[in-house]
């Protein structure tokens, strides 16, 4: 089985994919769209992509492609603690730094540490933490550092000069496994956090109480919603779709009736799947 992941090598997504699919072939993709396209076209079987970070929020591109790619389903969700380290080429010294490279989110998540300890060192955004680490490893003549993970430091032979520089301890990223078929993913080697279902809902039209009408479908059935997020349809101001997570096992009678009621009031509903949530190691 071939699994796509948001690359390059040594990215946090690869670290997640390695734990989710330790015995499968992992193939890096340049961006999130490439991951969705590879699965949609049948080039690869599944893909692992980031969905949300506890500090920076939802990865909007993932949410948008879940909506745009109608055949895609979610098979599993995995939460991984994120640890950022500051690393340099072993030939260089921390006092000589002129620039620090990393992904925009990694720089944002370690902003206070970098501002306090390297205030006068220029920060520059890179396409990924791993790409930043790779660049630093390939240019020892430059006085550069990267914010990346331990995996990247090991792969590219970099020296970590500061560990765990993220500003908040509770820094976690949520990843999802996507595929065209709603398979059951089960991994007894990983800790299970719970079970949930995901829905994409588009309201029939903009009118007073429209969202309340949709949410009442879940409320009177006592269906616990752990996430409600709106995203623009990109068809004009005020036009949105909603990404909703329902906690627990999906009941074939009670919950299926909820979908039918949503459709009866004119809402468009895309059921993305019922799946387990796992805890990964950093």
């Amino acid at each position: 089985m071939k699994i796509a992941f948001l690359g390059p090598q040594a990215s946090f997504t690869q670290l997640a994919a390695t734990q989710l699919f330790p015995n499968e072939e992992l193939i890096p993709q340049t961006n999130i769209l490439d991951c969705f396209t590879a699965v949609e076209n049948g080039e690869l079987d599944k893909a692992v992509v980031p969905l949300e970070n506890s500090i920076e929020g939802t990865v909007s591109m993932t949410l948008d492609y879940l909506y745009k790619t109608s055949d895609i389903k979610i098979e599993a969700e995995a939460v991984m603690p994120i640890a950022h380290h500051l690393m340099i080429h072993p030939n260089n010294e921390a006092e000589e730094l002129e620039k620090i490279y990393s992904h925009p989110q990694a720089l944002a998540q370690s902003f206070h540490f970098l501002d306090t300890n390297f205030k006068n060192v220029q920060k520059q955004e890179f396409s990924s933490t791993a790409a930043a680490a790779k660049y630093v490893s390939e240019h020892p003549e430059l006085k550069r550092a990267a914010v990346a993970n331990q995996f990247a430091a090991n792969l590219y032979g970099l020296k970590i000069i500061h560990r765990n520089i993220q500003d908040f301890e509770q820094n976690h990223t949520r990843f999802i496994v996507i595929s065209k078929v709603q398979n059951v993913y089960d991994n007894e080697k990983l800790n299970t956090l719970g079970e949930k279902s995901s829905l994409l809902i588009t309201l029939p039209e903009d009118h007073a109480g429209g969202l309340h009408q949709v949410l009442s479908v879940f409320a009177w059935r006592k269906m616990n919603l752990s996430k409600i997020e709106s995203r623009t349809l990109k068809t004009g101001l005020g036009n949105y779709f909603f990404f909703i997570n329902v906690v627990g096992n999906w009941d074939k009678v009670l919950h299926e009736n909820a979908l039918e009621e949503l459709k009866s009031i004119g809402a468009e509903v895309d059921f993305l799947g019922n799946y387990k949530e796992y805890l990964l190691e950093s």
Side-chain angles (χ1 to χ4, degrees):
M1 189 162 55
K2 296 181 178 181
I3 312 296
F5 69 89
L6 177 61
Q9 299 286 343
S11 66
F12 282 106
T13 311
Q14 184 186 21
L15 188 56
T18 300
Q19 296 179 63
L20 289 164
F21 299 99
N23 302 316
E24 307 298 341
E25 183 180 359
L26 304 180
I27 302 175
Q29 304 296 309
T30 304
N31 52 54
I32 291 174
L33 174 58
D34 288 346
C35 291
F36 275 82
T37 302
V39 174
E40 183 184 24
N41 294 341
E43 300 168 17
L44 300 175
D45 300 290
K46 308 177 194 297
V48 179
V49 293
L51 176 64
E52 181 182 18
N53 178 264
S54 58
I55 296 175
E56 295 301 308
T58 298
V59 180
S60 57
M61 189 172 292
T62 298
L63 210 53
D64 287 342
Y65 290 130
L66 279 173
Y67 181 82
K68 293 176 182 177
T69 318
S70 58
D71 292 335
I72 294 295
K73 303 299 180 184
I74 300 177
E75 282 192 14
E77 186 174 278
V79 176
M80 185 172 71
I82 300 298
H84 292 306
H85 311 307
L86 187 65
M87 53 195 72
I88 60 175
H89 193 281
N91 293 351
N92 295 329
E93 299 297 332
E95 295 78 14
E96 303 172 340
L97 285 183
E98 296 174 356
K99 282 187 180 181
I100 297 174
Y101 297 138
S102 198
H103 186 272
Q105 283 202 345
L107 292 175
Q109 291 165 17
S110 52
F111 172 81
H112 293 293
F113 175 88
L114 296 176
D115 188 60
T116 300
N117 296 279
F118 297 92
K119 191 175 187 66
N120 297 320
V121 178
Q122 183 181 351
K123 286 76 175 177
Q124 184 171 324
E125 296 181 354
F126 243 70
S127 59
S128 72
T129 57
K134 185 173 186 291
Y135 185 87
V136 170
S137 73
E138 294 173 344
H139 296 83
E141 76 282 2
L142 302 177
K143 309 303 180 183
R144 305 291 190 261
V147 177
N149 58 36
Q150 180 74 58
F151 196 5
N154 295 343
L155 180 64
Y156 298 117
L158 298 180
K159 177 174 67 176
I160 295 177
I161 56 175
H162 291 286
R163 291 184 175 274
N164 300 314
I165 66 172
Q166 61 273 8
D167 294 328
F168 300 94
E169 285 188 21
Q170 294 301 319
N171 185 5
H172 293 76
T173 293
R174 194 182 305 277
F175 300 89
I176 54 174
V177 178
I178 60 171
S179 68
K180 286 187 72 173
V181 182
Q182 184 57 60
N183 297 314
V184 177
Y185 177 91
D186 198 8
N187 193 329
E188 296 180 353
K189 295 182 179 180
L190 298 176
N191 292 326
T192 304
L193 297 176
E195 194 170 344
K196 65 175 63 172
S197 301
S198 292
L199 308 170
L200 294 172
I201 298 176
T202 307
L203 276 66
E205 59 182 19
D206 185 18
H207 64 274
L211 180 58
H212 178 271
Q213 191 176 15
V214 168
L215 295 181
S216 66
V217 171
F218 301 103
W220 77 261
R221 289 180 172 86
K222 298 183 179 179
M223 297 167 67
N224 184 22
L225 306 184
S226 61
K227 184 180 182 69
I228 306 171
E229 181 160 352
S230 63
R231 283 289 297 163
T232 176
L233 286 170
K234 299 177 177 59
T235 57
L237 291 174
N239 299 327
Y240 301 94
F241 71 87
F242 294 86
F243 178 73
I244 293 178
N245 281 341
V246 182
V247 177
N249 186 34
W250 188 261
D251 185 275
K252 287 293 184 181
V253 177
L254 181 66
H255 294 174
E256 291 292 342
N257 287 342
L259 298 188
E260 292 304 316
E261 184 177 344
L262 287 169
K263 294 175 184 177
S264 72
I265 61 175
E268 295 181 15
V269 183
D270 184 5
F271 180 71
L272 297 178
N274 175 255
Y275 51 88
K276 291 182 180 179
E277 181 182 17
Y278 296 93
L279 178 63
L280 305 179
E281 294 182 0
S282 175

